Amino acid sequence: MVLFTFTAFHAAVPWQVVTLAIAGLGLGGIMSVSSTAIMINAPEENAGMAGALEGIFYELGGTLGVAVMGSVIASIYTRTFAPPAEARLPASAWDSLDQTLIVASTLATDLAGQVDAAGKLAFSGGVVTTLTAASLLSVTLFAVMALHARNKPAGSEPASTRRDQTGIGR
């Protein structure tokens, strides 16, 4: 995600592809490790419920993440979009980049280019700000979880380890 915050509209497509591939590999690795951690720590009799809850919360987190990040990007876009004053754009141009580009297509060529550039700048600013905040939140949560795991009491082992030591579940 951090790499993607530095990728803008003017960046070369190969750079964008490499950045998204790295993000995909990283997120895929995180999801498989977290899934394994959830299932290892769930008691055997509750493994089905743990798996179901894991799926529900992944979906809920993804949905809320898209909604919240999209809202933040849209809010930043609306506040930072600064077209040339002579453009005299309708209010809908501040709604989204799509609306800006539609309105710009009706303007004279040089003015349309300036409006396009202002819209793309505002949108990329919103994306960079949002992804930077998401990256900082991810790093902070990782640090909190690492500290929590480090300070875990000695007797709090995963359920699978407890079953093996007690002879139950063999």
Side-chain angles (χ1 to χ4, degrees), residues 83-89 107 111 114:
E86 65 271 12
R88 293 193 176 101
L89 302 175
L107 302 173
L111 192 56
Q114 293 174 19

Side-chain angles (χ1 to χ4, degrees), residues 24-38 54 58-59 61-62:
L25 289 171
L27 291 172
I30 289 170
M31 288 183 151
S32 64
V33 169
S34 64
S35 180
T36 300
I38 289 168
E54 173 192 8
Y58 277 151
E59 294 296 323

Side-chain angles (χ1 to χ4, degrees), residues 41 139-154 156:
N41 286 295
V139 168
T140 302
L141 290 174
F142 176 78
V144 167
M145 292 306 297
L147 287 173
H148 176 70
R150 191 178 205 182
N151 295 329
K152 206 171 189 183
S156 59

Side-chain angles (χ1 to χ4, degrees), residues 49-148:
M49 183 173 36
L53 285 172
E54 173 192 8
I56 289 169
F57 284 111
Y58 277 151
E59 294 296 323
L60 181 64
T63 302
L64 288 176
V66 168
V68 169
M69 290 177 71
S71 297
V72 171
I73 290 170
S75 175
I76 292 170
Y77 180 82
T78 300
R79 286 187 292 117
T80 61
F81 177 54
E86 65 271 12
R88 293 193 176 101
L89 302 175
S92 64
W94 275 263
D95 290 344
S96 68
L97 180 58
D98 287 343
Q99 290 298 317
T100 300
L101 297 177
I102 290 169
V103 170
S105 68
T106 65
L107 302 173
T109 306
D110 62 329
L111 192 56
Q114 293 174 19
V115 171
D116 280 356
K120 289 177 180 179
L121 181 65
F123 184 77
S124 63
V127 170
V128 166
T129 301
T130 304
L131 288 178
T132 300
S135 297
L136 291 173
L137 179 63
S138 297
V139 168
T140 302
L141 290 174
F142 176 78
V144 167
M145 292 306 297
L147 287 173
H148 176 70

